[in-house]
Amino acid sequence: MSKAEDKPKQRYLELISSMKGRGISFNTTSEVEAEAFMESNNYYFKLASYRKNFPQTDGQYINLDFAYLQDMAAIDASLRRCLTDITLAVEHGLKVKILDLVTKNDDEDGYTIVQEFRKKNPKSYGRVLSYLKANKYSQDLYKKHHNEPAIWVFLEVAPFGDLSQFIEFYASKYPNKTLRTITANMKFAKNIRNAAAHSNPILVNLFTPKEFIARPTQTVVSEAQLMGIDNSLMHDMKIHDLVALFYLNKILTSDVARQHFYNHGKRVMNRLNRHADYYQAVASINQFKATLNNIIDYQISN
C-alpha cells in the first residue's frame, strides 16, 4: 500500500474529525475557529506535532484542547525567533574569535591557512566559494578574491557548517583551551541553529526516548552544572544542545548583547507562562520551562 493510500490527504473538516477521534477537544477554540486558523495561520502537520507532549490513554489524548496546540505553536515560534537571534550572534562571535587569533598569529599571513584548508577540506572550501559566487550582494568580493581568498573574505561568507569545519581545522593546527571549548560545543549549537533557521518545531519530543542521549558530552555537562542544571537532564538532546549554544553565547558575545538576549529570553518565558494552566499536568513542558529559565539566567550571571 502506498503512502497516498495509507494516509490520504484530508480536508480541514476531516482533519478536525480525526483529531476529535483521538480525544482532542474544541471547547476553548471552536471547530469553525480551528478551521479558519489552519487556513490562514498555521498548518495541521506542525500543529499536530505538539500533541506528542500530552499524555494518552488507549490512543486517546487526555485533557487536550485544540487551543493548547495553538498556544504551543505560538510559544515555539517565539522561542525560535529568540534562538535565531542568538545563533546569529554566536556565528558572528566565532568569526571574530578566529580572525582575532589569526591576526595575532605571526606564523599566519591570512592567505596560506585558507589554501591549507582547501587541501584538507576541498568540499567545504568549494561550497563557500560557490556561495560567494551565487550571492548577489557579494559579486565584487568574488571577482576580486575568488582565486586566492584571504581568511577575512572566506569567513565573511562561510555558512555555519563550513565555518565550524574551518575552526576545527585551525584548532587542530593551533590547539588551545578556548578553541577546545568552542569545538566541543559548535556541532550541538548547530543543531539548534538549523532547527530554528528552518522553522522546525523545538517543543516536541521533550524528554522522550526519541531524543535520549546515552552519553552526553562531558564538556557540555560541566557547562550545565554552571547553569544549575541537573546532570540527569543532559540526556535530553534539546537541553544538551541548548546548553552548548547558550554557553558559546556567554563566552563569545558582549555584556550588552547578553543583556539583550536575557531580556528576549524572559519575554519568551512570559509567553510560556501565559496559559500555564494548560500544562499543569504535563511534566515534560514544566521541566523544560524550569530548565530554559536557568539557561537564560546564566547569560547575565557572573
Side-chain angles (χ1 to χ4, degrees), residues 48-77:
S49 67
Y50 300 110
R51 74 185 189 276
K52 300 173 185 177
N53 292 307
F54 295 85
Q56 295 184 69
T57 299
D58 298 327
Q60 295 286 301
Y61 287 100
I62 308 301
N63 189 32
L64 173 55
D65 193 89
F66 185 82
Y68 302 1
L69 303 179
Q70 290 176 290
D71 192 56
M72 288 290 293
I75 293 167
D76 208 355

Side-chain angles (χ1 to χ4, degrees), residues 15-285:
L15 293 170
I16 289 171
S17 178
S18 177
M19 284 187 277
K20 290 172 68 178
R22 300 288 301 278
I24 299 174
S25 61
F26 291 82
N27 297 324
T28 305
T29 296
S30 70
E31 293 178 32
V32 172
E33 291 169 332
E35 181 179 5
F37 186 81
M38 288 188 287
E39 286 178 340
S40 304
N41 296 83
N42 212 328
Y43 47 92
Y44 170 79
F45 186 77
K46 178 167 282 187
L47 287 167
S49 67
Y50 300 110
R51 74 185 189 276
K52 300 173 185 177
N53 292 307
F54 295 85
Q56 295 184 69
T57 299
D58 298 327
Q60 295 286 301
Y61 287 100
I62 308 301
N63 189 32
L64 173 55
D65 193 89
F66 185 82
Y68 302 1
L69 303 179
Q70 290 176 290
D71 192 56
M72 288 290 293
I75 293 167
D76 208 355
S78 178
L79 175 60
R80 290 196 304 272
R81 285 191 290 271
C82 179
L83 294 176
T84 297
D85 201 7
I86 291 173
T87 58
L88 288 172
V90 166
E91 186 172 352
H92 176 73
L94 289 170
K95 293 178 180 181
V96 171
K97 173 56 69 175
I98 203 70
L99 287 172
D100 176 61
L101 292 172
V102 172
T103 300
K104 294 174 179 176
N105 188 341
D106 293 335
D107 294 327
E108 290 295 340
D109 60 10
Y111 293 85
T112 304
I113 190 71
V114 178
Q115 295 309 311
E116 291 173 348
F117 177 74
R118 180 183 188 178
K119 293 177 182 177
K120 182 73 173 179
N121 297 279
K123 290 184 179 179
S124 180
Y125 177 90
R127 277 195 302 269
V128 175
L129 267 291
S130 295
Y131 180 79
L132 178 60
K133 183 178 181 179
N135 190 329
K136 298 300 182 182
Y137 301 126
S138 301
Q139 292 299 297
D140 58 331
L141 287 178
Y142 180 78
K143 290 176 182 178
K144 293 178 183 178
H145 303 287
H146 70 277
N147 287 325
E148 190 180 4
I151 181 64
W152 44 89
V153 174
F154 186 77
L155 293 188
E156 181 67 18
V157 296
F160 196 98
D162 298 300
L163 170 65
S164 299
Q165 286 193 44
F166 183 88
I167 293 174
E168 289 174 350
F169 168 76
Y170 190 87
S172 68
K173 186 175 183 180
Y174 300 107
N176 65 50
K177 183 178 179 181
T178 298
L179 287 178
R180 281 195 297 272
T181 299
I182 287 173
T183 55
N185 285 277
M186 281 190 309
K187 63 182 178 181
F188 306 118
K190 182 185 173 186
N191 293 338
I192 298 294
R193 180 261 180 201
N194 288 346
H198 296 290
S199 194
N200 301 144
I202 302 291
L203 300 176
V204 294
N205 297 321
L206 301 174
F207 306 104
T208 65
K210 293 181 179 179
E211 296 188 354
F212 179 82
I213 303 174
R215 295 181 179 178
T217 305
Q218 188 54 50
T219 299
V220 183
V221 171
S222 297
E223 293 160 359
Q225 291 172 350
L226 297 174
M227 301 178 189
I229 298 171
D230 190 86
N231 289 358
S232 64
L233 298 177
M234 297 309 294
H235 291 283
D236 181 78
M237 187 183 301
K238 288 201 180 81
I239 296 300
H240 180 275
D241 294 353
L242 283 167
V243 168
L245 172 65
F246 277 79
Y247 188 79
L248 285 179
N249 190 63
K250 177 82 167 180
I251 66 173
L252 291 171
T253 62
S254 68
D255 292 345
V256 172
R258 288 195 302 279
Q259 183 66 53
H260 164 76
F261 297 130
Y262 171 82
N263 293 340
H264 195 169
K266 286 302 181 180
R267 290 196 296 274
V268 173
M269 292 305 303
N270 288 338
R271 183 61 188 85
L272 263 164
N273 289 315
R274 182 181 299 175
H275 296 293
D277 55 307
Y278 289 178
Y279 315 111
Q280 285 181 347
V282 187
S284 60
I285 294 176

